[in-house]
């Protein structure tokens, strides 16, 4: 447990100074180097909100580690089908792939289930695409537990999951920029890139719910959620938040869910407001019923 909470054992700790350096380099490039004049760049209030969210998210991520570590350890100790050796190179390839696949499904779940989207939407609330936005992290990581749970069952040591996820987070930081155009085709085909991730942050209809991959974009290609960047995305949410209040950005959607749940007496509708896709209303249910059994 001490090793788990030791910041010196966390890859993100070592990456933090490089995050700040990269932000400074991006700011310098935006000011002095030639680039697309339509780049969103930085706004001080927005960048301050993003960085503040990132700092506070470290606290919640640590709590997530503490709470989930015991469950993962119990599964690993008593239910694992076998124990994989952590001192081999192929182990680390497999655990990074396993965490990345789990991330893909968790990320997709977070966009398609409203209660999960309520936490994740904070990351998408910025209308700017820059390295500062990468730090705009959610404070509610709890659903990730369920998507990691198969890994200790398959023999992956729990502590290695957090290391692999740290590597995943570090990689994803560097795809949040407009200053990198498309990379060579083999790289674009296999890996998540700035071009692919700009699509993911787009609120344009053709870009919604696309390109969920963390490190690899091949998951999106395999599961039908990939689309390429055709034009510059419109960043942010489909409904502008128009606030820099961190509590509203992080928890405003939970308040909206509670209000919608209280607005109906039907339990079916209450469940729809919580577990349906973002924007679900009882009208959607009626439309689905009409498709299944048309009124005569």
């Amino acid at each position: 447990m001490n090793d788990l909470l030791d910041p010196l054992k966390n890859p993100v700790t070592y990456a933090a100074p490089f995050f700040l350096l990269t932000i400074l380099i991006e700011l310098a490039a935006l000011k002095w180097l030639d680039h697309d004049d339509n780049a969103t760049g930085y706004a001080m209030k927005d960048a301050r909100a993003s960085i503040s969210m990132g700092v506070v998210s470290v606290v919640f991520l640590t709590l997530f580690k503490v709470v989930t570590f015991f469950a993962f350890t119990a599964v690993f100790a008593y239910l694992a089908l076998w124990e994989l050796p952590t001192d081999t190179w192929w182990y680390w390839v497999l655990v990074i792939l396993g965490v990345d696949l789990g991330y893909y499904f968790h990320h997709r779940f977070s966009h398609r289930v409203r209660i999960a989207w309520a936490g994740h939407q904070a990351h998408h609330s910025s209308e700017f695409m820059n390295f500062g936005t990468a730090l705009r992290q959610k404070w509610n990581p709890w659903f990730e537990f369920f998507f990691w749970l198969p890994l200790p069952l398959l023999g992956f040591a729990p502590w290695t999951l957090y290391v692999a996820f740290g590597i995943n987070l570090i990689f994803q930081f560097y795809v949040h920029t407009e200053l990198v155009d498309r990379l060579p085709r083999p790289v674009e085909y296999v890996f998540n890139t700035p071009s692919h991730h700009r699509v993911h942050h787009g609120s344009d209809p053709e870009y919604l719910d696309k390109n969920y991959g963390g490190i690899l974009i091949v998951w999106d290609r395999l599961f039908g959620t990939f689309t390429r960047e055709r034009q510059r995305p419109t960043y942010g949410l489909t409904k502008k938040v128009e606030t820099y209040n961190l509590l509203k950005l992080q928890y405003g959607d939970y308040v909206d869910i509670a209000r919608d749940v209280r607005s109906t007496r039907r339990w079916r509708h209450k469940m729809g407001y919580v577990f349906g896709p973002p924007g679900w209303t009882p009208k959607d249910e009626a439309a689905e019923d009409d498709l299944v059994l048309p009124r005569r």
Side-chain angles (χ1 to χ4, degrees):
M1 177 60 74
N2 289 336
D3 287 346
L4 180 67
L5 299 179
D6 185 352
L8 296 179
K9 301 293 179 66
N10 188 340
V12 179
T13 301
Y14 294 99
F18 295 97
F19 292 166
L20 296 177
L21 177 62
T22 303
I23 290 173
L24 293 175
I25 292 173
E26 186 176 42
L27 283 167
L30 286 165
K31 184 174 183 179
W32 290 304
L33 299 182
D34 290 335
H35 60 80
D36 187 342
D37 292 336
N38 293 319
T40 54
Y42 281 80
M44 182 59 69
K45 287 184 178 180
D46 184 83
R48 184 169 60 238
S50 295
I51 294 171
S52 298
M53 286 187 197
V55 171
V56 177
S57 73
V58 174
V59 176
F60 289 95
L61 188 59
T62 301
L63 290 174
F64 171 77
K65 288 181 178 181
V66 173
V67 172
T68 58
F69 181 73
F70 294 105
F72 290 150
T73 300
V75 170
F76 181 70
Y78 300 109
L79 299 175
L81 302 176
W82 45 72
E83 183 175 342
L84 299 174
T86 61
D87 57 351
T88 59
W89 66 267
W90 54 264
Y91 175 92
W92 289 99
V93 171
L94 288 179
V95 74
I96 289 171
L97 288 175
V99 166
D100 197 51
L101 180 59
Y103 175 85
Y104 168 85
F105 283 113
H106 169 258
H107 199 181
R108 187 169 178 172
F109 173 83
S110 296
H111 277 253
R112 299 306 302 149
V113 177
R114 190 181 179 189
I115 189 65
W117 172 247
H120 183 61
Q121 58 79 35
H123 179 64
H124 285 265
S125 60
S126 175
E127 296 178 14
F128 297 81
M129 187 61 168
N130 52 55
F131 290 127
T133 301
L135 302 178
R136 200 180 187 93
Q137 295 296 312
K138 64 181 181 293
W139 296 352
N140 308 279
W142 314 114
F143 284 109
E144 293 174 13
F145 165 81
F146 300 101
F147 294 88
W148 288 14
L149 194 57
L151 295 174
L153 182 64
L154 293 173
F156 292 98
W159 68 271
T160 65
L161 306 184
Y162 302 105
V163 175
F165 188 60
I167 294 170
N168 199 292
L169 285 178
I170 292 168
F171 182 95
Q172 289 189 60
F173 175 86
Y174 290 99
V175 299
H176 290 80
T177 184
E178 291 187 286
L179 297 187
V180 177
D181 201 355
R182 287 186 176 88
L183 297 174
R185 184 173 295 181
V187 177
E188 292 281 331
Y189 191 84
V190 175
F191 292 98
N192 190 15
T193 66
S195 177
H196 297 328
H197 204 62
R198 288 192 291 269
V199 166
H200 180 70
H201 274 260
S203 60
D204 313 87
E206 65 270 33
Y207 288 161
L208 290 177
D209 301 329
K210 299 295 184 181
N211 299 3
Y212 296 114
I215 294 177
L216 300 178
I217 203 67
V218 292
W219 310 126
D220 291 280
R221 296 183 185 278
L222 285 172
F223 299 117
T225 53
F226 173 77
T227 195
R228 66 181 182 86
E229 185 181 30
R230 294 178 173 84
Q231 74 279 341
R232 178 180 298 279
T234 302
Y235 303 113
L237 304 175
T238 55
K239 180 180 179 181
K240 293 185 178 182
V241 292
E242 297 181 339
T243 182
Y244 294 105
N245 183 299
L246 300 189
L247 292 179
K248 288 183 179 179
L249 288 170
Q250 291 286 347
Y251 298 112
D253 269 30
Y254 292 106
V255 174
D256 292 342
I257 290 174
R259 183 194 62 237
D260 288 340
V261 168
R262 288 197 303 268
S263 71
T264 180
R265 300 179 66 178
R266 296 186 62 180
W267 278 102
R268 185 174 178 178
H269 292 170
K270 290 180 185 290
M271 293 298 100
Y273 280 128
V274 175
F275 298 109
W280 183 92
T281 69
K283 293 180 181 178
D284 297 328
E285 180 183 85
E288 291 173 3
D289 288 345
D290 287 345
L291 289 174
V292 175
L293 185 62
R295 295 178 182 177
R296 297 180 183 273

